[in-house]
Amino acid sequence: MTPRGSGPHDTARHGARTGAQEVAPPGGCPVPYGAGGGGQHRGAERPMLLTDIVSSPDPHLVYRELRDTYGPVAPVELEPGLPAWLVLGYHELLVITRQEQLFSRDPRNWHALREGRIAPESPLMPMMRYHPVCYHEDGAEHRRMRVPFDEGVGRLNERAARRLIEVRCRALVARFSEEGHADLVNDYAALAPMMSLAGLFGLGPAQSEELVRTVLGVVGSNPGSEEAYQTQHRIIGEMIARQRSAPDTDLTWTFAHHPNLVTDEERYAAMHLMLIAGNAPTISWIAQTLRMMITDPRFAARLRGGRLGVDDALDEALWREPPLNAMPARYVLHDIELGGQVLRRGDCLIMGIGAANDDPEIRPDEGEDWGNRAHLAFSAGPHRCPAQLPARLIARTAVRTVLNLLPDLELTVPAEELVPSPSPWTRVPARLPVSFTPRRVPEGPDTGPDGAPSDPVG
């Protein structure tokens, strides 16, 4: 997409829009926000907590207010007293995702972590401490560790995977289809991705449900996050142990045997990442798409007319409600200026994907086609999400399955009551209560011990 022009945040006011420049501290300027002392470059009020921004009723309104106050890079807090920068600008986000020599993915470069200013029990730690995985590496090490993800996803048999996902999703709908009402978040969207993804890893339904609870705990960044992470670690260890001598039939085998993963620690970390990256954001994607399909008159009319418009809703959700509204993180390697702010070595940058998609320089006008892929929902640069294919396959199949099986869905509360669960990263409605005509939905045949109709990897 071609930017429309400089808009209200021009270069003269807020610094370079297309690059980053190393700088010396401006004379007389207060200590930049995030540089150990906790001062800030512009603005006098204490920065907002990231969770309060992402979980607000209208985060886009907050993003616009932050952009008006600070420009395309704004100070925030991850926890009270723990500073970071939120990158709001589309072009600035492209800069930090494409320039590894200036902005690292390795949290060991974060001064707050090095200086012990984050409690070990902080709910941020499962997501933001260093793990030996491509997500937290740069350069050659990132490329080495990335290969198993790309090869594993590339070997997916899409037809078999779709059938597996349909079986798992149909089984979830069958649990509540005869009741005539359900919560499509907690009864369905929160379960469907991991039930499906775990099947691709070779797990049966019971083990899949245990994994569901662990992943939700990890990405929730709440007091139970560390316990959830350790439970997930145990399950992954059991999965890898089973696959040491098993045939090459699923994604677990790929990670257990790939020569680019040279230690058990790397294998564990790779599977943690794949399970989280393919699950937590997809929960949001499914939930937000279902919400749009049911509440937005444009999509609701198609639904009732038998023309579901699922792909249109999926693509629009990536613009309006990206699965990761904010994504951790990049760490500044050199004192630098970006978007008019002076950043210091070791500062933490949060990628404001929802804000960047709403940047007035690039966002579509109302009424324009939202189906283009210029959004940053899957990030950009070398670390662009490796789980896009399974995520889209799961999201599309999950949405279509529930809408096909329950075509007369009606929301049972006013749409304005659909508020998100608190999280610094994702926007998932806390509930999506619906009613429908009760009907019996057969779960469908399971032809394998894990509930999969056929081998999803081939």
Side-chain angles (χ1 to χ4, degrees):
M1 178 178 297
T2 302
R4 294 204 176 94
S6 61
H9 310 298
D10 55 33
T11 301
R13 180 180 172 195
H14 291 307
R17 293 287 292 161
T18 58
Q21 180 179 359
E22 295 189 39
V23 296
C29 185
V31 178
Y33 184 77
Q40 61 192 71
H41 190 281
R42 236 188 355 254
E45 295 184 3
R46 180 166 183 165
M48 293 181 66
L49 283 171
L50 183 61
T51 296
D52 292 342
I53 297 171
V54 173
S55 303
S56 65
D58 186 355
H60 296 290
L61 178 61
V62 181
Y63 294 143
R64 290 164 195 169
E65 291 173 349
L66 289 172
R67 190 178 285 112
D68 287 342
T69 302
Y70 298 103
V73 180
V76 296
E77 290 189 333
L78 301 178
E79 294 177 334
L82 181 61
W85 297 100
L86 180 62
V87 181
L88 306 164
Y90 184 94
H91 297 292
E92 286 72 20
L93 198 145
L94 288 179
V95 167
I96 69 169
T97 56
R98 291 173 174 173
Q99 296 190 23
E100 291 180 302
Q101 73 277 17
L102 298 176
F103 306 100
S104 172
R105 284 299 291 261
D106 188 341
R108 292 173 295 185
N109 292 302
W110 187 12
H111 50 53
L113 201 60
R114 291 198 312 267
E115 297 163 8
R117 291 192 279 122
I118 306 173
E121 66 274 13
S122 167
L124 295 169
M125 292 299 280
M127 287 285 285
M128 298 190 70
R129 67 168 170 249
Y130 172 79
H131 301 282
V133 70
C134 61
Y135 191 87
H136 286 157
E137 297 285 358
D138 304 308
E141 278 295 273
H142 167 259
R143 291 189 292 273
R144 170 179 71 84
M145 294 180 175
R146 170 77 182 233
V147 171
F149 291 86
D150 293 334
E151 290 186 358
V153 169
R155 292 174 58 243
L156 277 178
N157 180 326
E158 289 191 44
R159 179 178 295 180
R162 184 174 61 252
R163 289 198 297 269
L164 182 150
I165 296 164
E166 287 172 351
V167 166
R168 295 283 173 99
C169 291
R170 176 180 285 268
L172 291 174
V173 175
R175 295 181 182 181
F176 54 75
S177 64
E178 296 183 79
E179 298 177 9
H181 61 86
D183 176 350
L184 289 184
V185 171
N186 295 292
D187 296 336
Y188 187 71
L191 305 174
M194 182 53 75
M195 296 296 289
S196 303
L197 189 62
L200 301 181
F201 274 93
L203 287 184
Q207 293 169 305
S208 300
E209 292 203 43
E210 187 178 14
L211 266 178
V212 166
R213 293 188 291 272
T214 69
V215 174
L216 290 174
V218 170
V219 299
S221 292
N222 55 49
S225 292
E226 183 61 33
E227 181 181 356
Y229 179 84
Q230 294 303 329
T231 301
Q232 185 183 117
H233 200 71
R234 171 184 59 78
I235 296 171
I236 289 173
E238 295 170 356
M239 294 165 65
I240 290 177
R242 282 196 300 270
Q243 289 300 315
R244 293 291 191 187
S245 58
D248 180 2
T249 57
D250 54 45
L251 288 175
T252 300
W253 194 97
T254 300
F255 290 106
H257 293 272
H258 201 285
N260 279 34
L261 302 175
V262 297
T263 68
D264 277 347
E265 191 178 13
E266 290 183 359
R267 296 181 190 100
Y268 276 65
M271 289 187 62
H272 274 293
L273 177 59
M274 189 67 176
L275 289 168
I276 291 171
N279 180 73
T282 313
I283 293 173
S284 174
W285 198 3
I286 293 170
Q288 294 291 2
T289 302
L290 286 172
R291 179 189 61 79
M292 290 171 56
M293 295 292 294
I294 297 168
T295 64
D296 190 317
R298 296 169 302 151
F299 296 108
R302 296 187 195 183
L303 173 61
R304 292 180 178 84
R307 298 176 294 110
L308 298 185
V310 170
D311 285 307
D312 291 338
L314 285 166
D315 282 326
E316 186 165 330
L318 292 177
W319 275 103
R320 294 183 180 272
E321 297 283 2
L324 279 174
N325 211 270
M327 179 184 291
R330 292 293 197 278
Y331 306 96
V332 181
L333 296 179
H334 307 279
D335 291 358
I336 206 164
E337 180 178 340
L338 180 71
Q341 299 285 12
V342 177
L343 313 182
R344 295 300 183 208
R345 178 181 178 183
D347 280 1
C348 175
L349 303 177
I350 301 299
M351 294 172 281
I353 293 173
N357 283 355
D358 193 46
D359 190 324
E361 293 195 7
I362 62 94
R363 71 169 182 260
D365 288 328
E366 295 300 325
E368 282 191 22
D369 178 18
W370 291 81
N372 71 75
R373 304 288 171 84
H375 59 75
L376 296 177
F378 297 109
S379 189
H383 284 271
R384 188 170 175 84
C385 176
Q388 291 181 57
L389 173 61
R392 181 173 283 273
L393 187 60
I394 291 169
R396 180 192 292 120
T397 305
V399 171
R400 283 180 171 169
T401 298
V402 71
L403 294 179
N404 281 323
L405 294 175
L406 306 174
D408 57 347
L409 291 169
E410 296 281 353
L411 191 66
T412 59
V413 299
E416 57 269 19
E417 293 185 11
L418 301 177
V419 297
S421 297
S423 170
W425 318 120
T426 62
R427 283 179 56 80
V428 181
R431 62 189 186 118
L432 189 57
V434 297
S435 62
F436 48 85
T437 302
R439 52 176 59 81
R440 181 176 180 276
V441 173
E443 292 193 20
D446 285 347
T447 58
D450 65 349
S454 58
D455 179 10
V457 177

